Amino acid sequence: MELLSPAGNLTALRAAVDNGADTVYIGFRDETNARQFPGLNFTPQQAAKGVSYAHEHGVKVAVAINSYVQANGWDKWRSSVDEAGRVGADAVILADLGLIDYAAQEWPQLARHLSVQASATTPESLNFYQRRYGVKRAVLPRVLSIQQVEALAKETNVELEVFGFGSLCVMAEGRCLLSSYATGESPNTVGACSPAWAVDWQETNRGREVRLGGILIDRFAPDEPAGYPTICKGRYDIKGSVEHAFESPTSLATAELLPQLKKAGIQAIKIEGRQRSPAYVGKVTRIWRQLLEEIDSGTAGTEPDSELVAELLELCEGSTTTLGPYERKWQ
Amino acid sequence: MRISLGPIQYYWPAEQIKSFYDQLRGKVELIYLGETVCGRRREMGPAEWVGLGKELAEEGHEVVLSALGLVEARSEAAQVKRLCENGDFMVEANDFTAISFLEANKTPFVAGPSLNIYSGRALREMQKLGARRWVPPVELPGQGLRQVLSEFAELSEDPMETEVYAYGRMPLAFSARCFTARHYGLGKDDCDFVCKNHPEGLGVVTRAGESFLTINGIQAQSFGCLNLLPALTDMKQMGVSAVRLSPRPVDMTEVVEAFRAGINGEDVQLTEPDPGMQCDGYWWGQPGCGSRAVENYQAET
């Protein structure tokens, strides 16, 4: 199975390449990708350098252009596809219908991957993207159980890529407007979920309060760990019960599913985290390379290597992990 | 400009569904029928929806069957396929499973609000696939819509109807997880259909006491009720052909009458729900929970 690692900048890209990624995925420094954070992502010049470095080491580069083309924004999104082609990227990861059509017409040699933002969950929709736009691979949204992933893999010729590790989007990607409801900006529109400018932390006598767009998302006790505030990981009151109404802060970690995913014919495992540090990217990539090698060489036990899993746990949000939707119980 | 009733998003008993449409017979031009949120909700089966659709169509309504928004199980995809091949009514596609069937059979369809069309190019592509009408995403501002329609006009000579989601709680997110079942400590597969106890979803309130969101099965909705009555003049200028009112369990007749009066150019206010619960931020390019009416009111006082 192919290992895809995230890179938010050149240093992270090198860390991913040096630690065993097969492919590194990046985005340009604007709203054309779904991870727009200040100080993150690549200029076309940096992307060209990154592609050279990766290719010198036999590693591929995929460029995520996976927010939706906005009104009046055609030139910006189109030129991101053109830049990806010009810098010699191996693939573009797309969600917008107009953009997929454009890439297929203008850059036929550039592999087209369907972004998780397109939220394709059935063989019918995957096959539609394949027959209409020649989509080669699709990233599955985090809404299917492992049994559903296995069944899906049998019914489509589109290569499948699944998330293995990192933050867990609770909502079907590309189908979530919670961020813009509170802040005016969402992954679909400007590639941002819970934009940093809208986050406000305050120490109060009730605890540490965090607001998004002025709306109280959560309140933490003095020693309670607090992750990046997104609406779906906050605590709210439902009929007098204060609870994580959608999901608690936790990371997706699926090392134990690797044998099943390989058997199902899943082509690639994706590590989430373009917003994470180069050190994090290097470490996670190294651990997952080892996990995959143990699977591929047949030396893996029935359970994943416990030392590697313990190392991963240290890198998790809230130090807790979940199989998320892969496990039916979670749903 | 026509008035449409969007699909009922909540889990209501069959009798409530029927009496809901009985109340509104003859009052709206367009009616969308069917289950769009949860494949487990089968209070009305496909045959019953089609039967109701035929009755309503005979009375002069244009009927559209709405397909499921998030398709996971094979049984759900099969349900969408049957819907797409119903042979009587147009279908509203709410994901690409439906589009796959409709495009393959060259069947014209309505592109629903969750299909992420934010540009003229994407809309043109959707038209090539067979869309004859589209409902823009609820987060698309009025200015954005104007721009999309002008981009589209440059790219296509064929007509496309635009229907704006103009009233009701807004669908904001879909998940694999059923949030209502989770609140009750139940699993999705064993949910006891608890969403039946919440005919307008379950309110999510911040710890500061502000009503914020609504959970409705696997869906997260706004708590605020969208009201685009003040934007009708703009919409007419843009050539919007219909406004969608999303069903609520309260008396929708008053809402329909208010929108009818608004379309006829009358200066009319909506009192259902309370103006403090209304929102229209998205239309003005603001956070969706914002309300221009409330802002103006606060500015004046």
Side-chain angles (χ1 to χ4, degrees), chain A residues 291-307:
Chain A
L291 286 166
L292 284 171
E293 265 171 19
E294 288 179 9
I295 299 286
D296 286 339
S297 65
T299 57
T302 48
E303 297 286 318
D305 189 317
S306 58
E307 279 180 32

mmCIF file of all heavy atoms in Angstrom, chain A residues 291-307:
data_model
loop_
_atom_site.group_PDB
_atom_site.id
_atom_site.type_symbol
_atom_site.label_atom_id
_atom_site.label_comp_id
_atom_site.label_asym_id
_atom_site.label_seq_id
_atom_site.Cartn_x
_atom_site.Cartn_y
_atom_site.Cartn_z
ATOM 1 N N LEU A 291 4.988 0.390 10.027
ATOM 2 C CA LEU A 291 3.757 -0.420 10.123
ATOM 3 C C LEU A 291 3.419 -1.068 8.776
ATOM 4 O O LEU A 291 3.087 -2.252 8.709
ATOM 5 C CB LEU A 291 2.580 0.454 10.577
ATOM 6 C CG LEU A 291 2.540 0.871 12.046
ATOM 7 C CD1 LEU A 291 1.522 1.990 12.255
ATOM 8 C CD2 LEU A 291 2.193 -0.315 12.950
ATOM 9 N N LEU A 292 3.536 -0.276 7.712
ATOM 10 C CA LEU A 292 3.209 -0.793 6.376
ATOM 11 C C LEU A 292 4.214 -1.858 5.937
ATOM 12 O O LEU A 292 3.844 -2.849 5.305
ATOM 13 C CB LEU A 292 3.162 0.354 5.355
ATOM 14 C CG LEU A 292 1.909 1.223 5.415
ATOM 15 C CD1 LEU A 292 2.061 2.452 4.535
ATOM 16 C CD2 LEU A 292 0.676 0.425 4.974
ATOM 17 N N GLU A 293 5.494 -1.643 6.291
ATOM 18 C CA GLU A 293 6.503 -2.639 5.906
ATOM 19 C C GLU A 293 6.244 -3.973 6.597
ATOM 20 O O GLU A 293 6.400 -5.025 5.995
ATOM 21 C CB GLU A 293 7.905 -2.129 6.249
ATOM 22 C CG GLU A 293 8.545 -1.458 5.051
ATOM 23 C CD GLU A 293 9.839 -0.739 5.375
ATOM 24 O OE1 GLU A 293 10.446 -1.034 6.424
ATOM 25 O OE2 GLU A 293 10.219 0.127 4.569
ATOM 26 N N GLU A 294 5.829 -3.892 7.847
ATOM 27 C CA GLU A 294 5.537 -5.137 8.573
ATOM 28 C C GLU A 294 4.368 -5.876 7.918
ATOM 29 O O GLU A 294 4.357 -7.098 7.847
ATOM 30 C CB GLU A 294 5.238 -4.838 10.050
ATOM 31 C CG GLU A 294 6.498 -4.449 10.811
ATOM 32 C CD GLU A 294 6.239 -4.117 12.274
ATOM 33 O OE1 GLU A 294 5.117 -4.356 12.756
ATOM 34 O OE2 GLU A 294 7.172 -3.619 12.921
ATOM 35 N N ILE A 295 3.392 -5.107 7.448
ATOM 36 C CA ILE A 295 2.255 -5.730 6.762
ATOM 37 C C ILE A 295 2.716 -6.325 5.424
ATOM 38 O O ILE A 295 2.431 -7.482 5.111
ATOM 39 C CB ILE A 295 1.149 -4.681 6.479
ATOM 40 C CG1 ILE A 295 0.605 -4.073 7.765
ATOM 41 C CG2 ILE A 295 0.036 -5.276 5.625
ATOM 42 C CD1 ILE A 295 -0.295 -4.957 8.560
ATOM 43 N N ASP A 296 3.438 -5.502 4.664
ATOM 44 C CA ASP A 296 3.836 -5.929 3.318
ATOM 45 C C ASP A 296 4.801 -7.124 3.353
ATOM 46 O O ASP A 296 4.770 -7.977 2.476
ATOM 47 C CB ASP A 296 4.462 -4.762 2.553
ATOM 48 C CG ASP A 296 3.390 -3.760 2.116
ATOM 49 O OD1 ASP A 296 2.216 -4.163 2.055
ATOM 50 O OD2 ASP A 296 3.716 -2.590 1.860
ATOM 51 N N SER A 297 5.661 -7.174 4.370
ATOM 52 C CA SER A 297 6.649 -8.271 4.420
ATOM 53 C C SER A 297 6.088 -9.498 5.130
ATOM 54 O O SER A 297 6.761 -10.519 5.233
ATOM 55 C CB SER A 297 7.914 -7.786 5.136
ATOM 56 O OG SER A 297 7.595 -7.496 6.491
ATOM 57 N N GLY A 298 4.871 -9.359 5.657
ATOM 58 C CA GLY A 298 4.260 -10.504 6.331
ATOM 59 C C GLY A 298 4.784 -10.738 7.736
ATOM 60 O O GLY A 298 4.530 -11.770 8.341
ATOM 61 N N THR A 299 5.547 -9.768 8.277
ATOM 62 C CA THR A 299 6.088 -9.947 9.624
ATOM 63 C C THR A 299 5.194 -9.352 10.703
ATOM 64 O O THR A 299 5.492 -9.430 11.880
ATOM 65 C CB THR A 299 7.490 -9.306 9.746
ATOM 66 O OG1 THR A 299 7.375 -7.916 9.400
ATOM 67 C CG2 THR A 299 8.499 -9.986 8.846
ATOM 68 N N ALA A 300 4.094 -8.714 10.277
ATOM 69 C CA ALA A 300 3.189 -8.114 11.258
ATOM 70 C C ALA A 300 2.463 -9.209 12.035
ATOM 71 O O ALA A 300 2.108 -10.242 11.476
ATOM 72 C CB ALA A 300 2.175 -7.230 10.547
ATOM 73 N N GLY A 301 2.272 -8.972 13.334
ATOM 74 C CA GLY A 301 1.512 -9.922 14.145
ATOM 75 C C GLY A 301 0.027 -9.706 13.929
ATOM 76 O O GLY A 301 -0.378 -8.954 13.034
ATOM 77 N N THR A 302 -0.789 -10.336 14.728
ATOM 78 C CA THR A 302 -2.229 -10.123 14.583
ATOM 79 C C THR A 302 -2.623 -8.736 15.082
ATOM 80 O O THR A 302 -3.618 -8.169 14.655
ATOM 81 C CB THR A 302 -3.027 -11.189 15.370
ATOM 82 O OG1 THR A 302 -2.455 -11.277 16.675
ATOM 83 C CG2 THR A 302 -2.985 -12.528 14.691
ATOM 84 N N GLU A 303 -1.839 -8.216 16.014
ATOM 85 C CA GLU A 303 -2.049 -6.840 16.489
ATOM 86 C C GLU A 303 -0.900 -5.987 15.956
ATOM 87 O O GLU A 303 0.219 -6.491 15.781
ATOM 88 C CB GLU A 303 -2.004 -6.806 18.022
ATOM 89 C CG GLU A 303 -3.086 -7.607 18.709
ATOM 90 C CD GLU A 303 -4.436 -6.932 18.616
ATOM 91 O OE1 GLU A 303 -4.482 -5.693 18.795
ATOM 92 O OE2 GLU A 303 -5.436 -7.613 18.342
ATOM 93 N N PRO A 304 -1.135 -4.689 15.712
ATOM 94 C CA PRO A 304 -0.016 -3.858 15.257
ATOM 95 C C PRO A 304 1.044 -3.735 16.353
ATOM 96 O O PRO A 304 0.739 -3.850 17.531
ATOM 97 C CB PRO A 304 -0.672 -2.519 14.948
ATOM 98 C CG PRO A 304 -1.977 -2.518 15.654
ATOM 99 C CD PRO A 304 -2.388 -3.941 15.794
ATOM 100 N N ASP A 305 2.273 -3.511 15.919
ATOM 101 C CA ASP A 305 3.430 -3.357 16.802
ATOM 102 C C ASP A 305 3.126 -2.382 17.953
ATOM 103 O O ASP A 305 2.872 -1.199 17.736
ATOM 104 C CB ASP A 305 4.571 -2.819 15.927
ATOM 105 C CG ASP A 305 5.886 -2.808 16.649
ATOM 106 O OD1 ASP A 305 5.895 -2.417 17.833
ATOM 107 O OD2 ASP A 305 6.899 -3.183 16.024
ATOM 108 N N SER A 306 3.131 -2.898 19.185
ATOM 109 C CA SER A 306 2.659 -2.079 20.309
ATOM 110 C C SER A 306 3.572 -0.878 20.587
ATOM 111 O O SER A 306 3.113 0.172 21.017
ATOM 112 C CB SER A 306 2.510 -2.934 21.558
ATOM 113 O OG SER A 306 3.742 -3.537 21.860
ATOM 114 N N GLU A 307 4.858 -1.032 20.315
ATOM 115 C CA GLU A 307 5.767 0.118 20.537
ATOM 116 C C GLU A 307 5.452 1.247 19.569
ATOM 117 O O GLU A 307 5.440 2.412 19.933
ATOM 118 C CB GLU A 307 7.226 -0.321 20.348
ATOM 119 C CG GLU A 307 7.797 -1.003 21.574
ATOM 120 C CD GLU A 307 9.239 -1.424 21.379
ATOM 121 O OE1 GLU A 307 9.961 -0.717 20.635
ATOM 122 O OE2 GLU A 307 9.619 -2.462 21.948
#
